[in-house]
Amino acid sequence: MDIKTAHFKKAIFAPVSLAANTLFAASDAINDIARYVHYFKVANLEFKPRADDIFIVTYPRSGTTWLQMILYQLATDGSMEIDHIAQKVPWFERLIDYRIWNAKDFEAMDSPRLFKSHLSAKDMPKGDCKYIYMVRNGYDVAVSYFEFYCSHLGFKGDFDDFFKKFIDGDVQFGSWFAHAADWKAMSKTSDSIKSSQILFLKFEDMKNDFDCQLDKIINFAGFKIPADRLPEIRNRCSFKFMKQHEDKFDHITSQIWEKGYKRSSFIREGKSGQGKRRFNLEQETNFQSLLKKFHIEEL
Ligand code: A3P
């Protein structure tokens, strides 16, 4: 490349690159606004909370899945003939955000509806329903979240890099400090929710005295659990049992379910000449005219 061409390319490159970056930033911002407006519409205007709904709310890595399993066991016969816990205790804001569910889908759920959520106190839909917030020691959350970032989100930094992001709230679900503080404040005094609607739990108490916390949950939710079911519930909610059945709780499988993917459907039939049978007459006529238009009747 001669010097003139190199200078010309350099002179063009800087403004084009600046324009591209500005457009990307603007499109990200518009995208964020559209997502928020969509969330607000479905969650706050269309979704109708019921008195026996229970929202399980946490900052990520604080025992959300554990609580999902506990509530599922308490609210149903707890059958493990499920593909994933997300089918029974779906992730409220995610199904809205991914545009997978609308208000009608939520309406079609049987009561008591159980939801998982990482929403902040401000963004949580308010209604005459119940909320269980579980907080976990922030040091443990930071380490568990770092490990999750590395194992599931392709994070390549070390713990110090992650720590800076965590402290600044520059992670998926914002500041752990603000999340925990806002929910704690809302569990005490709030204009929009009565404090009796919120059960505030600690992960550490669940570890130290599971039975006592289980009792609290049962009383708060108003479940009637026969004493002879408790040993099975205790066993199924143990770390050992959940680890053994990890595919029914893990993040990857929940995404498969949330997005409606079907397993074993990618390498499908591998046959030839079967496609046309699916077309109706109108579709076939349309198709034929395009083959003609592009001169590819015979390939
Ligand atoms: P660690 O990474 O410290 O092991 P969440 O479901 O909110 O993402 O939380 C995940 C954390 O809860 C993980 O913590 C996980 O091991 C822990 N956990 C999940 N089920 C548990 C159980 N039955 N007993 C104790 N901890 C559990």
Side-chain angles (χ1 to χ4, degrees), residues 124-161:
M124 174 58 70
K126 315 292 189 302
D128 183 23
C129 50
K130 295 189 166 83
Y131 306 87
I132 301 181
Y133 186 84
M134 182 145 83
V135 71
R136 185 183 188 187
N137 170 322
Y139 297 94
D140 291 340
V141 172
V143 170
S144 180
Y145 210 6
F146 165 65
E147 295 294 344
F148 179 80
Y149 255 63
C150 296
S151 60
H152 286 72
L153 303 179
F155 186 68
K156 298 279 184 274
D158 60 17
F159 182 68
D160 194 46
D161 300 324

Side-chain angles (χ1 to χ4, degrees), residues 90-109:
W91 188 348
F92 181 76
E93 64 272 23
R94 173 103 109 187
L95 290 172
I96 299 175
D97 198 27
Y98 282 3
R99 295 176 177 238
I100 295 168
W101 277 22
N102 57 33
K104 276 197 192 128
D105 298 302
F106 287 113
E107 210 43 56
M109 285 176 77

